[in-house]
Amino acid sequence: MYDIFNKKWKGMRRVRDAVVGTTVGKVEGDSENGVYVWRGIPYAEAPKGDLRFIRTRKIKPWEGVREAKNFGFCCPQPNHKNADMDEDCLTLNIWSPCADRKRRPVLFFIHGGSFAGGTGSEDAYNGAYLAGYGDVVVVTCNYRIGILGFLDFSFLGQGCDANCGLFDIIEALRWVHDNIDAFGGDPDHVTVFGQSAGGTATSVLATLPAAQGLLHQCIVMSGGPTLLQGKEEGQRTAQCFLEFMHIDTPEQLREIPAGKLAGTQQAFCSACGLGAGTFRISVDGGLVPDYPIPAAAAGAGQGIPMLIGTTREEMSFLHIPPLAKIIDIGGIMEAGVSHEDEACRECIPKAYQERYGKRRGKTMMLTDMVFRMGSVWFAQTRSLRNDVWMYRFDYETAAMKVSGLHTFHSSDIPFVFGNFGAGMGKLIFLLTPSVKKAKKVAKEIQDDFLAFARNGKLPWKKCTQGSVPAKCYRRECAVMPMVEPAILNQYESTHFKKTSFSSCAGK
């Protein structure tokens, strides 16, 4: 067993390097903390040149044994300090207790980053602990992001497609389906779990005809089932980018070095006025026929159990003054209720202020508008035809309390992966003299995720249209309403809820 705080394996021998045959060639892995690991396995052709803005192409076979001991390039993006970047970024990483023919559950993770940044090789997503502790196979992948992955240039002609990054994820899942048994995994037992943008992608994948048969359970972590865009909106943003770059033809677009494109990303996000919402999955009427909630209402993705959750105060990082100024919390809140009638514009903020106080009421309202309400409505809708459970991450360390961040966006990642010395884990335990309680909470959430991956079931009450119980991970875990009824009721007659349930395919 692995000690997640002292980083020591107990009672496990070091494994030898592993050479595994796949449908496209052999790969040689390595060992890490008592499990096998294969890094940087290409799952698709490099999306360069004429392939830059089109749907993913299958990887061509190779001769001999390909070394898979180092992570692959991450997709070009601004300000990424810990990885080399290149367009040849479509690789995945696998952690497995053993490369044998035992068919273990597979946990396939999709990283977040607002579809603008991130990589599957980040230390926070290292799958060694989870694979060893749970006797499962863990997979992470890179996919195209930002300008390269989530701008819809399809109006330029056949040389461009919408949702290139989502095509990448589906191709990675297809590679896993075809090859994971050689790594000790069960291709008929794949749980997709994703966080933030990865959670949004997960909520979409469960409804897509193109992904059917490639995933069998889903865990949506802080995703946004309502945070997609219509086809016209997506193409307007792409057209805005062409004007921003003074580009007239697809040839000019493909000739610009990828690093230069990535270097313009932040300036473009500011110029187009969309900020963190610039890059989104498009409801294009092709790969993505509809938004997740109306798609689920129409019966898409039947037979896929789902666990959906958020942290309690996703947007509390906006209590940090510099971020609040940059992101304009007041402007976001005003925009969030701008389509509502006068009564709603007054009642909704008032309900939050009465329940949480003036300061926390603002960020709790944003948390619900961006994450929790959409997640609840998605859970309620899917519950008509599928088993759905909810969870909420409420646990706070001393540093989280003192800073005023509380259970902010991504603070659950260290608890899920068990990597407390990486990413957010370095910060949230700074003032914690004893980690006994944290270890207990980490084990609780890991055991639930692993149980769900094994059998698609959880021991607390499922969601229904009229009830959304959630297991709340805190010092003493408890099942309670995902959103307080008094708050939930405020949204019943809102324009926000109405549009979240409206089908808008191809628009």
Side-chain angles (χ1 to χ4, degrees):
M1 185 174 177
Y2 187 59
D3 184 328
I4 58 179
F5 293 92
N6 297 319
K7 297 184 178 180
K8 295 179 181 178
W9 283 85
K10 301 177 181 179
M12 294 188 69
R13 61 183 178 84
R14 178 179 174 84
V15 298
R16 290 185 174 183
D17 294 355
V19 176
V20 174
T22 75
T23 56
V24 288
K26 294 181 179 180
V27 290
E28 182 179 8
D30 203 346
S31 63
E32 176 184 349
N33 293 328
V35 300
Y36 288 99
V37 57
W38 295 263
R39 305 178 182 90
I41 301 175
Y43 65 82
E45 286 298 300
K48 291 187 170 186
D50 291 343
L51 304 184
R52 174 177 278 182
F53 291 109
I54 68 171
R55 63 191 64 191
T56 326
R57 296 290 180 88
K58 287 185 177 294
I59 186 71
K60 295 176 182 177
W62 59 80
E63 298 291 333
V65 179
R66 185 167 189 148
E67 187 175 281
K69 298 183 180 182
N70 297 301
F71 289 118
F73 296 112
C74 71
C75 184
Q77 58 193 273
N79 302 326
H80 199 289
K81 301 177 181 179
N82 299 320
D84 295 326
M85 295 183 286
D86 191 87
E87 281 185 278
D88 186 6
C89 62
L90 302 185
T91 61
L92 51 77
N93 317 295
I94 302 171
W95 290 264
S96 176
C98 190
D100 55 23
R101 289 294 173 174
K102 179 179 178 180
R103 295 168 71 86
R104 297 174 176 82
V106 178
L107 283 161
F108 181 101
F109 180 72
I110 307 172
H111 72 78
S114 299
F115 295 117
T119 172
S121 61
E122 291 180 22
D123 290 344
Y125 311 141
N126 186 301
Y129 165 69
L130 205 55
Y133 174 71
D135 192 32
V136 295
V137 176
V138 178
V139 181
T140 67
C141 74
N142 293 346
Y143 55 95
R144 280 174 285 182
I145 52 177
I147 295 159
L148 296 168
F150 290 96
L151 284 186
D152 179 5
F153 296 110
S154 60
F155 58 87
L156 292 175
Q158 293 184 349
C160 299
D161 291 307
N163 296 312
C164 289
L166 190 59
F167 273 111
D168 295 343
I169 295 169
I170 294 171
E171 186 60 33
L173 280 168
R174 188 172 291 114
W175 191 98
V176 167
H177 180 270
D178 293 343
N179 293 285
I180 204 66
D181 60 334
F183 299 85
D186 185 349
D188 298 319
H189 216 141
V190 176
T191 298
V192 173
F193 70 127
Q195 189 268 342
S196 192
T200 300
T202 302
S203 70
V204 174
L205 286 166
T207 69
L208 297 188
Q212 295 308 297
L214 303 179
L215 65 160
H216 309 92
Q217 289 97 224
C218 288
I219 303 175
V220 179
M221 302 173 61
S222 302
T226 61
L227 300 180
L228 284 71
Q229 62 188 348
K231 183 175 182 177
E232 291 181 0
E233 183 179 2
Q235 293 191 350
R236 276 199 306 270
T237 304
Q239 182 63 53
C240 183
F241 179 75
L242 297 180
E243 295 170 1
F244 178 79
M245 295 293 291
H246 306 289
I247 292 172
D248 299 312
T249 68
E251 289 76 21
Q252 288 177 305
L253 186 61
R254 284 190 286 266
E255 287 170 1
I256 299 174
K260 184 177 179 180
L261 283 177
T264 68
Q265 194 162 291
Q266 290 180 328
F268 171 64
C269 291
S270 177
C272 75
L274 294 173
T278 301
F279 306 106
R280 286 176 282 168
I281 293 172
S282 291
V283 181
D284 61 354
L287 177 65
V288 185
D290 209 342
Y291 290 86
I293 293 175
Q302 290 191 49
I304 300 176
M306 189 171 286
L307 172 61
I308 304 171
T310 70
T311 67
R312 187 171 186 269
E313 298 184 47
E314 296 276 357
M315 304 297 283
S316 61
F317 60 86
L318 292 177
H319 286 317
I320 301 174
L323 286 177
K325 288 181 180 179
I326 292 171
I327 299 177
D328 183 18
I329 184 171
I332 295 174
M333 290 187 68
E334 184 176 342
V337 297
S338 62
H339 296 291
E340 305 298 343
D341 60 33
E342 186 175 350
C344 286
R345 288 200 300 271
E346 293 180 0
C347 291
I348 292 177
K350 183 179 179 181
Y352 282 95
Q353 185 172 331
E354 290 176 349
R355 175 68 180 82
Y356 302 107
K358 186 174 182 180
R359 183 170 182 262
R360 291 180 80 172
K362 289 182 178 181
T363 53
M364 287 301 297
M365 180 174 163
L366 274 177
T367 291
D368 285 352
M369 287 181 169
V370 177
F371 294 104
R372 282 207 302 178
M373 295 312 305
S375 295
V376 165
W377 295 332
F378 189 45
Q380 289 175 317
T381 304
R382 284 194 59 82
S383 72
L384 294 171
R385 297 179 174 87
N386 305 275
D387 291 340
V388 183
W389 292 263
M390 295 203 80
Y391 78 88
R392 197 176 72 209
F393 185 76
D394 291 3
Y395 183 78
E396 298 182 15
T397 65
M400 293 162 75
K401 291 178 182 177
V402 170
S403 66
L405 289 174
H406 305 291
T407 51
F408 59 96
H409 188 63
S410 302
S411 59
D412 52 344
I413 288 288
F415 291 79
V416 172
F417 280 90
N419 299 322
F420 282 81
M424 293 292 180
K426 294 179 181 178
L427 302 175
I428 63 179
F429 286 98
L430 286 176
L431 304 177
T432 304
S434 172
V435 294
K436 184 177 180 180
K437 287 289 185 182
K439 289 176 72 173
K440 178 183 176 183
V441 175
K443 185 177 184 302
E444 188 95 12
I445 192 168
Q446 289 158 10
D447 286 349
D448 286 339
F449 275 39
L450 291 166
F452 185 72
R454 290 189 188 100
N455 55 45
K457 294 186 181 298
L458 288 163
W460 62 93
K461 286 185 178 180
K462 293 182 287 189
C463 296
T464 66
Q465 275 198 303
S467 176
V468 281
K471 181 170 182 178
C472 297
Y473 297 100
R474 44 176 53 188
R475 290 178 68 87
E476 298 297 332
C477 296
V479 177
M480 57 184 62
M482 180 67 177
V483 178
E484 292 84 346
I487 295 294
L488 190 63
N489 291 337
Q490 294 293 325
Y491 289 89
E492 277 305 302
S493 301
T494 58
H495 179 268
F496 177 29
K497 182 172 183 179
K498 180 180 179 181
T499 56
S500 296
F501 281 78
S502 298
S503 178
C504 197
K507 296 182 180 180

